[in-house]
């Protein structure tokens, strides 16, 4: 069945709606004048925004019928539309009759009747030899005589094609009062008497508008469409401008030569993206992708601020080069946010001048090349290494015999901070790996527990050991949470020294070094860091590996008046050992005396004992083990005190032995020849 629709005078494009648009083409409430303008209280003659549509002879088509052309020259009222047909209009022209630059769009409006019929018709526009969908057509016209562009379009032909899939529901429909509407609004071109900012909220839709806006010295340019560059976009010295990507792209695909810049800034340039999906992209198709000098999405020789947006440098043929999203050659570059995507190379490269990074995501190494004196500050951001970057580091600093004022106070680094000359410059940040020789004095490296480390305020292992070496009597030394301190050795000449561990402060071993009055509290000991415990017999016999050792090999004195309170012993011994070991055989002056272990947790692997004492003790000695939890699956008992040279009381009470069934299997007490120590063992509980 043939599907046709009567038109009467339908689809006769009757009235030209010349809508002098007083609103922007983008959703905005900013109002534009058309016939007059009030400026600072003075009435001045207005510019005219005047657009018209004319025929081939220059006659205005306002209110006139624009006829469709048919192959058989049928009268207009005999044109019937059916699926698959296409009708074209006579050619018309859009002309700027005013003295203001304008940009325009076209549309089809149905005034009366069955507007549903318009749904079945696809409209296209041909201007010269170029065809556009009517919905996407945009153009610009300048006043007659302008050197910036034409005041009149080429011939415009409107085509309507009725969709083949149009069904019976479109039969018999009529639409009358069809009009072609031309919408015009101000184009960013002119300046007024006071400044050139009066239409600064207008969006920029192509390179010509962008160039004109830059020439007009706007303080803000907002994109209204993707813009493709053919050459370098230059921001000259003295120019101050902000570009809002507004979700659109500034882009270029080019076979780049060495040192090519897509955007070259010598002025004051700010990049922002109010929408969140905007980007600036250089696609370098060169075989060498810029060679050893690289090609740059943005080169900065002035002042550059990046608020947000994506800046990327794509090189599909890259096999390793120095292409950059931002090349900070000189001047000042500040990055507050955004994404910098050059995963095969360096996302940001600093040659000289000042670079400040406060945030952002950097997929590709940040390279402080320092070919002259530089100042570099990193306060935040997320950094990843590059496929072809230096030494796998997330940020790499080349000193090159120049002064590098580097400060790192924050940021997340997937790998490490690489430096050709180590500087103690890091006071914050999280790293995949880090060397303590670049951590500033007064700061240390803490373990996050997830294979990353952070730099925090506190005492480093070296600083703690120095504090112990120089400790005065009664000194209190605090360890920092998450920091692994390795092995620490007490100063035997300092009395009543306290080492306090914050939660998560980790120590491999503390050698009490025959000290007196030492208190260890709140420390987590890692069994993997245990060290050998010797006695003085025959030059020092190895008795065990331990986290806490009473004295050094061959020393004549044992430790005295020791308190171990609220510590945790965890991990696996690489060599079978004990958490605490006092071995005093053949010490000639004084053996270990008066030790208290309380409120501790023992939960290690590969342990022979939790507490081990051998040939220790002295007249008047006490050894107190109270209110602890013993959870280690020791090969022997939890507490072994053998060959004690004392008959004084040994206190083991209020403890929980989770892996031992009775006191006999949990505790072993033995006196040396002639000694019979007593045991107070009240209030213990047993599991296993």
């Amino acid at each position: 069945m043939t599907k046709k629709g009567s038109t009467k005078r339908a689809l006769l494009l009757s009235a030209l709606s010349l809508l002098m648009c007083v609103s922007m083409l983008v959703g905005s409430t900013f109002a534009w004048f058309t016939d007059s303008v009030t400026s600072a209280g003075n009435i001045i003659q207005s510019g005219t925004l005047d657009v018209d549509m004319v025929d081939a002879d220059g006659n205005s088509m306002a209110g006139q019928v624009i006829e469709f052309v048919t192959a058989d020259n049928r009268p207009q009222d005999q044109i019937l539309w059916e699926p698959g047909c296409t009708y074209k209009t006579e050619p018309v022209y859009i002309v700027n009759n005013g003295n203001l630059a304008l940009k325009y769009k076209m549309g089809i409006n149905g005034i009366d009747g069955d507007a549903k019929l318009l749904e079945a018709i696809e409209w296209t526009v041909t201007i010269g030899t170029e065809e556009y969908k009517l919905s996407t057509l945009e153009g610009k016209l300048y006043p007659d005589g302008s050197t910036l562009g034409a005041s009149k379009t080429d011939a415009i032909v409107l085509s309507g094609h009725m969709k083949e899939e149009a069904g019976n529901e479109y039969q018999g429909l009529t639409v009358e009062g069809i009009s072609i509407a031309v919408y015009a609004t101000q184009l960013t071109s002119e300046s007024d008497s006071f400044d050139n900012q009066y239409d600064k909220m207008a969006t920029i839709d192509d390179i010509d508008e962008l160039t004109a806006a830059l020439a007009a010295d706007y303080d803000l340019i907002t994109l209204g469409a993707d813009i493709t560059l053919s050459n370098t976009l230059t921001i000259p010295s003295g120019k101050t401008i902000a570009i809002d990507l507004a979700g659109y792209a500034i882009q270029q695909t080019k076979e780049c030569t060495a040192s090519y810049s897509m955007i070259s800034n010598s002025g004051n340039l700010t990049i922002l993206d109010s929408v969140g999906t905007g980007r600036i992209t250089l696609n370098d198709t060169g075989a060498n992708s810029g060679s050893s000098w690289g090609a740059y999405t943005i080169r900065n020789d002035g002042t550059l601020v990046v608020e947000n947006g994506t800046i990327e440098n794509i090189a599909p043929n890259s096999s390793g080069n120095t292409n950059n999203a931002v090349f900070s050659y000189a001047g000042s570059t500040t990055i507050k946010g955004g994404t910098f995507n050059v995963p095969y190379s360096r996302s940001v490269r600093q040659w000289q001048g000042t670079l400040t990074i406060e945030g952002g995501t950097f997929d590709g190494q940040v390279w402080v090349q320092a070919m002259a004196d530089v100042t570099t500050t990193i306060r935040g951001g997320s950094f990843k290494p590059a496929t072809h970057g230096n030494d796998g580091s997330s940020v790499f600093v080349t000193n090159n015999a120049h002064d590098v004022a580097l400060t790192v106070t924050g940021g997340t680094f997937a790998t490490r901070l690489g430096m050709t000359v180590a500087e103690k410059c890091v006071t914050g940040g999280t790293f995949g790996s880090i060397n303590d020789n670049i951590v500033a004095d007064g700061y240390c490296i803490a373990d996050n527990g997830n294979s990353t480390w952070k730099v925090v305020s506190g005492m480093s292992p070296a600083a703690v050991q120095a504090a112990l070496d120089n400790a005065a009597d009664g000194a209190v030394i605090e360890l920092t949470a998450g920091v692994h301190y390795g092995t620490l050795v007490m100063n035997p000449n300092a009395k009543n020294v306290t080492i306090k561990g914050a939660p998560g402060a980790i120590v491999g071993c503390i050698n009490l070094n025959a000290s007196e009055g030492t208190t260890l509290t709140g420390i987590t000991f890692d069994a993997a860091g245990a060290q050998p415990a010797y006695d003085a017999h025959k030059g020092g016999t190895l008795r065990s590996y331990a986290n806490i050792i009473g004295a050094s090999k061959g020393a004549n004195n044992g430790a005295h008046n020791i308190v171990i309170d609220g510590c945790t012993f965890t991990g696996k011994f690489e060599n079978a050992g004990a958490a605490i070991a006092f071995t005093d055989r053949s010490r000639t002056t004084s053996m270990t005396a008066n030790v208290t272990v309380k409120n501790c947790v023992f939960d290690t692997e590969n342990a022979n004992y939790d507490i081990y004492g051998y040939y220790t003790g002295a007249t008047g000695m006490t050894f107190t083990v109270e209110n602890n939890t013993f959870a280690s699956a020791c090969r022997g008992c939890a507490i072994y005190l053998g060959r004690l040279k004392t008959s004084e009381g040994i206190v083991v009470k209020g403890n929980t032995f989770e892996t031992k069934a009775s006191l006999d299997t949990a505790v072993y007490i033995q006196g040396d020849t002639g000694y019979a120590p007593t045991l107070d063992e009240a209030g213990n509980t047993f599991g296993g």
Side-chain angles (χ1 to χ4, degrees), residues 37-62:
V37 61
T38 300
S39 177
N42 297 312
I43 303 301
I44 63 174
Q45 181 180 357
S46 67
T48 57
L49 184 67
D50 184 0
V51 67
D52 200 356
M53 183 179 294
V54 300
D55 62 16
D57 296 325
N59 300 312
S60 176
M61 298 302 295

Side-chain angles (χ1 to χ4, degrees), residues 33-333:
F33 64 87
T34 56
D35 293 324
S36 65
V37 61
T38 300
S39 177
N42 297 312
I43 303 301
I44 63 174
Q45 181 180 357
S46 67
T48 57
L49 184 67
D50 184 0
V51 67
D52 200 356
M53 183 179 294
V54 300
D55 62 16
D57 296 325
N59 300 312
S60 176
M61 298 302 295
Q64 303 299 313
V65 173
I66 303 175
E67 295 187 344
F68 284 109
V69 176
T70 63
D72 56 3
N73 296 316
R74 275 173 293 160
Q76 297 294 302
D77 60 359
Q78 295 181 20
I79 295 176
L80 300 178
W81 291 69
E82 58 185 319
C85 70
T86 300
Y87 292 101
K88 296 184 177 182
T89 67
E90 299 170 327
V92 294
Y93 303 82
I94 299 176
V95 60
N96 184 352
N97 288 330
N99 55 18
L100 296 176
L102 61 84
K103 53 186 175 181
Y104 65 87
K105 288 185 175 182
M106 296 179 67
I108 295 292
N109 294 325
I111 307 302
D112 300 308
D114 302 305
K116 178 178 177 63
L117 182 57
L118 290 179
E119 298 175 359
I121 300 175
E122 295 175 326
W123 299 99
T124 58
V125 176
T126 301
I127 303 179
T129 59
E130 299 293 330
E131 185 176 86
Y132 307 88
K133 288 185 177 181
L134 182 62
S135 60
T136 63
L137 174 66
E138 292 184 9
K140 58 184 180 294
L141 293 172
Y142 295 89
D144 187 30
S146 171
T147 60
L148 296 177
S151 62
K152 181 180 178 181
T153 67
D154 291 334
I156 296 176
V157 174
L158 179 67
S159 297
H161 175 78
M162 192 166 187
K163 301 175 184 178
E164 284 79 356
E165 63 271 22
N168 290 337
E169 66 270 25
Y170 295 102
Q171 290 192 74
L173 301 181
T174 300
V175 181
E176 298 182 357
I178 296 297
S179 62
I180 301 176
V182 178
Y183 304 91
T185 189
Q186 292 169 233
L187 176 64
T188 54
S189 180
E190 301 85 8
S191 299
D192 64 15
S193 300
F194 298 92
D195 58 30
N196 50 20
Q197 301 295 303
Y198 66 89
D199 55 357
K200 67 181 180 180
M201 296 303 293
T203 59
I204 303 300
D205 297 334
D206 59 34
I207 184 58
D208 293 333
E209 291 185 20
L210 179 58
T211 302
L214 289 173
D217 197 25
Y218 287 9
D219 60 4
L220 174 64
I221 291 175
T222 302
L223 299 191
D226 293 344
I227 294 178
T228 299
L229 305 180
S230 56
N231 297 301
T232 298
L233 179 67
T234 300
I235 312 298
S237 177
K239 172 74 68 177
T240 297
I241 190 71
I243 299 177
D244 181 0
L245 300 174
Y248 294 101
I250 299 176
Q251 57 197 2
Q252 186 176 52
T253 297
K254 184 179 181 67
E255 185 175 346
C256 298
T257 57
S259 300
Y260 176 78
S261 302
M262 174 179 153
I263 298 176
S264 179
N265 175 53
S266 296
N268 297 280
L269 173 62
T270 298
I271 302 295
L272 63 144
D273 178 24
S274 59
V275 174
T277 57
R279 59 185 176 85
I280 302 176
T281 302
L282 173 61
N283 185 355
D284 180 5
T285 60
N288 296 316
S289 295
S291 76
S292 60
W293 277 93
Y296 324 120
T297 308
I298 299 178
R299 169 174 168 154
N300 180 45
D301 293 87
T303 299
L304 173 66
V305 177
V306 181
E307 300 277 357
N308 55 354
T310 295
I311 303 175
E312 55 190 354
N313 192 308
I314 301 170
N317 301 321
S318 172
S319 59
N321 54 64
T322 53
N323 280 21
N324 315 122
V326 174
F327 179 33
S328 185
Y329 182 80
S332 171
T333 299

Side-chain angles (χ1 to χ4, degrees), residues 615-673:
Y615 272 104
T616 191
T619 300
M621 167 199 170
T622 60
F623 205 114
T624 301
V625 181
E626 189 172 16
N627 298 327
N628 303 284
T629 297
F630 295 90
S632 306
C634 300
R635 292 183 177 85
C637 52
I639 302 172
Y640 179 98
L641 300 175
R643 306 295 292 271
L644 295 178
K645 292 183 175 296
T646 181
S647 295
E648 306 301 323
I650 306 300
V651 177
V652 179
K653 64 180 182 180
N655 302 287
T656 299
F657 296 91
E658 294 183 357
T659 62
K660 304 300 179 182
S662 64
L663 184 66
D664 291 341
T665 57
V667 179
Y668 176 82
I669 305 294
Q670 176 197 32
D672 198 11
T673 303

Side-chain angles (χ1 to χ4, degrees), residues 4-26:
K4 296 185 178 180
S6 172
T7 62
K8 297 181 182 176
R9 289 195 302 265
L11 298 178
L12 296 181
L13 303 181
S14 58
L16 170 63
S17 297
L18 298 178
L19 303 180
M20 303 309 174
C21 185
V22 293
S23 65
M24 296 176 60
L25 297 181
V26 186

